[in-house]
């Protein structure tokens, strides 16, 4: 039975670096420049999620996209999957690649990990671009425990292909061919010999986001930050637990960041980097040119 690594096809050549206690970390390294963009995917996803963004930047930037441990083509296992664990893994990988300064780009869970990295390495992490970041939304202790039950290892493993498809489709305001490709990949993963380890990491990562929130220390993040949210996001906020709008969550989080710019994107769900790829790429490029004059850059 093939592994998830063997089943997945990427449009870019993946490289691998072995890390102690983890195994191979898959990543792509494209372009060459003094400035480096580091891309981090969201929960249950992988670096292929950036396939409509990377080509727009490789001519002018070095672009590193990473499969976090437990996801994509990286090693599978019963990893801690805390935000600290993921941030530590990314920082170790960047050190091994001799990347000393970078702009970090994160989607959803990857955005929350990005904020942990920015707090840990304020000098190395020059700026952040966050796509529908997790972490701006806060939960009570009771709500957190309820979410953990929804994302228990048993529940995630037992989810049927129909449930997985429906959950994936909720990421998008409309299921385009590009979105369908990610949905098909997620269903393909279910056929992997190491699927149980994958589902364990999905569950543990959901708990990791809840256990290591970022909201209270957002004012400490002094990096220039670009934030995107889709107006039709069905995952942020959690409609069952927080009766507010995505826009309210977005503005609340951005207002706490000292140097942040927010773009709310119409006709766009939880995956703005895909559903509005051209617009996001244009806005990100313009912002990158603007922040070169930022004092810390």
């Amino acid at each position: 039975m093939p592994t998830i690594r063997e089943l997945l096809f990427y449009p870019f050549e993946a490289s691998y670096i072995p890390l102690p206690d983890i195994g191979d970390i898959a990543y792509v390294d494209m372009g060459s420049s003094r400035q480096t963009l580091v891309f981090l995917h969201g929960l249950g996803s992988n670096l292929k999620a950036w396939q409509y963004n990377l080509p727009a930047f490789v001519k002018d930037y070095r672009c590193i996209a990473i499969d976090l441990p437990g996801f994509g083509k990286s090693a599978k296992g019963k990893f801690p999957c805390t935000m600290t664990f993921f941030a530590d893994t990314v920082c170790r990988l960047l050190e091994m690649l001799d990347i000393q300064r970078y702009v970090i780009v994160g989607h959803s869970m990857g955005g929350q990990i990005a904020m942990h990295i920015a707090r840990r390495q304020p000098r190395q992490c020059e700026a952040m671009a966050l796509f529908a970041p997790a972490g701006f939304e806060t939960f009570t202790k009771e709500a957190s425990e309820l979410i953990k039950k929804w994302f228990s290892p048993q529940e995630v493993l037992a989810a049927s292909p129909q449930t997985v498809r429906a959950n994936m489709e909720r990421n998008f305001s409309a299921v385009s061919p590009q979105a369908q490709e990610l949905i098909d990949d997620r269903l393909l993963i279910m056929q992997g010999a190491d699927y149980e380890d994958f589902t364990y990491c999905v569950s543990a990562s959901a708990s990791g986001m809840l256990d290591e929130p970022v909201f209270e220390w957002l004012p400490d993040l002094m990096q220039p930050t670009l934030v995107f949210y889709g107006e039709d996001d069905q995952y942020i906020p959690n409609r069952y637990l927080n009766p507010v709008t995505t826009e309210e969550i977005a503005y609340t989080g951005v207002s706490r960041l000292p140097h942040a710019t927010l773009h709310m994107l119409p006709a766009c769900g939880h995956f703005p980097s895909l559903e509005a790829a051209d617009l996001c790429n244009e806005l990100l490029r313009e912002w990158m040119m603007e922040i070169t004059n930022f004092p810390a850059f």
Side-chain angles (χ1 to χ4, degrees):
M1 192 174 183
T3 64
I4 292 172
R5 174 171 167 176
E6 294 167 330
L7 287 170
L8 287 175
F9 168 78
Y10 289 172
F12 319 110
E13 182 178 357
S15 299
Y16 299 89
I17 287 183
L19 292 182
D21 305 320
I22 295 177
D24 284 347
I25 297 297
Y27 69 98
V28 297
D29 187 348
M30 305 167 62
S32 59
S33 171
R34 181 186 65 84
Q35 292 183 318
T36 300
L37 299 176
V38 179
F39 294 80
L40 304 179
H41 62 77
L43 179 65
S45 189
N46 55 65
L47 64 82
K48 188 177 178 180
W50 300 107
Q51 65 178 315
Y52 300 105
N53 312 107
L54 294 172
F57 297 97
V58 293
K59 290 183 179 179
D60 300 302
Y61 302 94
R62 183 180 181 184
C63 296
I64 309 291
I66 300 169
D67 275 344
L68 296 167
F71 300 101
K73 291 179 176 288
S74 285
K76 307 297 184 292
K78 300 297 192 294
F79 303 125
C81 295
T82 63
M83 300 300 98
T84 296
F85 167 75
F86 287 130
D88 180 61
T89 300
V90 173
C91 291
R92 290 165 66 190
L93 180 66
L94 296 181
E95 182 178 1
M96 294 179 75
L97 294 173
D98 195 29
I99 297 172
Q100 299 176 9
R101 297 177 70 85
Y102 53 87
V103 173
I104 199 151
V105 184
H107 170 236
S108 194
M109 181 182 76
Q112 187 166 342
I113 296 167
M115 288 181 270
H116 276 268
I117 293 171
R119 188 188 193 197
R120 174 186 295 199
Q121 295 192 336
R123 292 183 180 274
Q124 295 96 318
C125 181
E126 298 176 307
M128 296 183 290
L130 308 176
F131 291 79
F136 288 180
E137 183 178 11
T138 59
F139 298 95
T140 65
K141 181 179 179 180
E142 293 75 17
S144 293
E145 292 305 314
L146 182 58
I147 295 172
K148 289 178 183 180
K149 289 181 180 179
W150 292 342
F151 278 89
S152 71
Q154 297 81 8
E155 291 292 332
V156 179
L157 181 61
S160 67
Q162 293 78 15
T163 298
V164 170
R165 178 182 292 278
N167 289 339
M168 282 294 296
E169 289 178 349
R170 287 185 62 218
N171 280 285
F172 309 101
S173 61
V175 180
S176 65
Q178 294 85 355
Q180 186 62 54
E181 185 178 359
L182 291 189
I183 295 169
D184 290 343
D185 275 359
R186 179 62 180 84
L187 293 169
L188 185 65
I189 286 171
M190 300 181 77
Q191 302 175 29
D194 43 0
Y195 181 62
E196 183 175 350
D197 282 342
F198 169 85
T199 59
Y200 176 89
C201 287
V202 169
S203 173
S205 297
S207 294
M209 285 187 281
L210 294 164
D211 291 340
E212 292 188 296
V214 301
F215 188 80
E216 292 302 321
W217 44 262
L218 289 177
D220 299 335
L221 303 181
M222 303 305 295
Q223 292 92 339
T225 304
L226 183 65
V227 180
F228 297 98
Y229 275 101
E231 291 182 358
D232 298 335
D233 195 317
Q234 296 300 305
Y235 279 107
I236 298 177
N238 185 301
R239 298 299 193 273
Y240 298 101
L241 301 173
N242 284 330
V244 296
T245 66
T246 302
E247 190 170 17
E248 287 175 294
I249 293 292
Y251 276 104
T252 298
V254 166
S255 69
R256 293 179 61 78
L257 290 164
H259 305 289
T261 300
L262 172 65
H263 292 285
M264 295 296 303
L265 305 178
C268 185
H270 189 58
F271 240 108
S273 55
L274 185 150
E275 285 199 277
D278 290 343
L279 176 58
C280 288
N281 292 342
E282 179 183 351
L283 293 171
L284 178 54
R285 175 175 290 279
E286 291 175 355
W287 176 78
M288 284 292 298
M289 295 176 65
E290 291 173 3
I291 64 173
T292 54
N293 296 320
F294 192 80
F297 220 77

